Amino acid sequence: MSRASRSWSPLQYMAFKEERLRPALDLLRHVSSSSSIANVVDLGCGTGSIVPFFKQKWPRAQIFCVDSSQEMLETAKATLQSFDRTSPFFIHSDFESFTVQQKADVIFSNAALHWVSFEVHQSLLPRLLSFLKPGGQLAFQMPDTRLQPSHTLMVDAATNIGLDVSAARKVTTEVEPQAYYKLLSPSCATFNSWSSEYVHVLDGNDPVFAFTSSTGLGPFVAAVGPDMEAKYINEYKRLLRVAYPRQADGKTLFPFRRFFTVATVPVLTVQGRTETE
């Protein structure tokens, strides 16, 4: 399956706003601060929480917020237009059909591109590079939850109650970083890639379930169907409590791994040497 799909609840997603914002800010720190940056695309913008930080970094830039969820875009509009009525522009589009009217200085995507497969990335990411101005940057972050109990247990929970969810796509990075280097580096002047593991300290009952249910669990809930949903969720919660036990102070520690890339396209070639800004 090339794409995972789900309906989105902005309120549920924003319950973990701080945990989701920190990786975006970490990615943003590795993107150019040049005052010449004029056009920035937030691809898969969600609720638009990173946009005020774009405006701090690039105060003169025009921001284009792109998302396939109309609910997310409406939430972003309500929040951001009170922050700055002149910016950004909002575009309802998925990754595959997205295009630009004018080339961008930066295409930024935080925790969004993993909703389509690496097979799609093989054509999508070079296409995104082609949307950049000379010296422009493609910066993206994706969860790498392939080995995390929070995500492997989505399958185990279904198996334990006799359900087949093999048709549901796991929403995660699918390949090792070397695959992205091989894909992008021939078209780039520089390629910077790294992984980080965040340890979230969560409150409340079943907090890991609350976190995953707002994102990656969605395709599995859809796969089990409404008649078995409650039974499936109860089993998934049971497994999560074992994998992520509550600490003595009542908190739950939730390690979460993420993969980052910043790729810069060439500015020009001088006597066989590629130069960037």
Side-chain angles (χ1 to χ4, degrees), residues 36-64:
S36 65
I37 289 176
N39 294 289
V40 176
V41 175
D42 187 0
L43 188 59
C45 66
T47 58
S49 59
I50 191 66
V51 172
F53 298 92
F54 287 169
K55 297 299 288 184
Q56 289 178 12
K57 190 178 184 80
W58 306 298
R60 294 188 293 176
Q62 178 63 67
I63 313 298
F64 297 86

Side-chain angles (χ1 to χ4, degrees), residues 1-4 96 114-120 169 174:
M1 181 179 294
S2 62
R3 169 182 281 275
E96 296 90 335
H114 59 299
W115 284 88
V116 295
S117 66
F118 181 69
E119 180 182 2
V120 173
R169 180 179 172 270
E174 294 181 341

Side-chain angles (χ1 to χ4, degrees), residues 13-43:
Y13 185 84
M14 291 174 69
F16 296 94
K17 180 179 178 180
E18 296 303 320
E19 289 84 358
R20 302 188 194 283
L21 181 59
R22 181 180 169 192
L25 295 176
D26 289 345
L27 178 62
L28 186 60
R29 279 192 282 270
H30 288 79
V31 181
S32 171
S33 298
S34 172
S35 60
S36 65
I37 289 176
N39 294 289
V40 176
V41 175
D42 187 0
L43 188 59

Side-chain angles (χ1 to χ4, degrees), residues 7-15 17 42 45-52 65-84 87-92:
S7 59
W8 287 95
S9 168
L11 185 62
Q12 188 180 25
Y13 185 84
M14 291 174 69
K17 180 179 178 180
D42 187 0
C45 66
T47 58
S49 59
I50 191 66
V51 172
C65 290
V66 183
D67 206 283
S68 62
S69 167
Q70 192 63 52
E71 292 81 5
M72 288 292 201
L73 283 177
E74 291 302 323
T75 300
K77 286 179 185 179
T79 302
L80 296 173
Q81 288 183 339
S82 62
F83 164 76
D84 183 348
S87 176
F89 290 124
F90 298 94
I91 302 170
H92 185 218

Side-chain angles (χ1 to χ4, degrees), residues 143-275:
D144 186 359
T145 55
R146 289 172 289 174
L147 301 179
Q148 282 188 197
S150 57
H151 288 64
T152 60
L153 293 176
M154 295 175 184
V155 176
D156 293 349
T159 301
N160 289 355
I161 61 173
L163 298 178
D164 179 10
V165 290
S166 58
R169 180 179 172 270
K170 295 179 181 177
V171 186
T172 182
T173 302
E174 294 181 341
V175 297
E176 294 299 315
Q178 294 89 329
Y180 288 95
Y181 179 79
K182 183 177 180 181
L183 175 64
L184 297 176
S185 63
S187 302
C188 294
T190 63
F191 178 92
N192 184 16
S193 179
W194 70 98
S195 294
S196 297
E197 183 172 88
Y198 299 81
V199 180
H200 301 308
V201 181
L202 305 181
D203 292 305
N205 296 321
D206 297 312
V208 177
F209 169 77
F211 191 102
T212 61
S213 65
S214 64
T215 53
L217 187 63
F220 291 89
V221 171
V224 302
D227 292 342
M228 295 297 291
E229 180 178 341
K231 187 175 182 180
Y232 170 71
I233 287 176
N234 286 337
E235 176 63 9
Y236 178 55
K237 285 181 176 180
R238 184 188 71 80
L239 295 175
L240 288 177
R241 293 184 198 117
V242 175
Y244 302 98
R246 185 176 290 189
Q247 302 299 300
D249 62 357
K251 308 286 187 180
T252 300
L253 302 183
F254 180 34
F256 200 102
R257 188 172 179 82
R258 296 179 182 272
F259 165 63
F260 300 77
T261 292
V262 178
T264 307
V265 299
V267 171
L268 49 82
T269 302
V270 179
Q271 296 180 348
R273 184 178 77 255
T274 299
E275 297 185 352

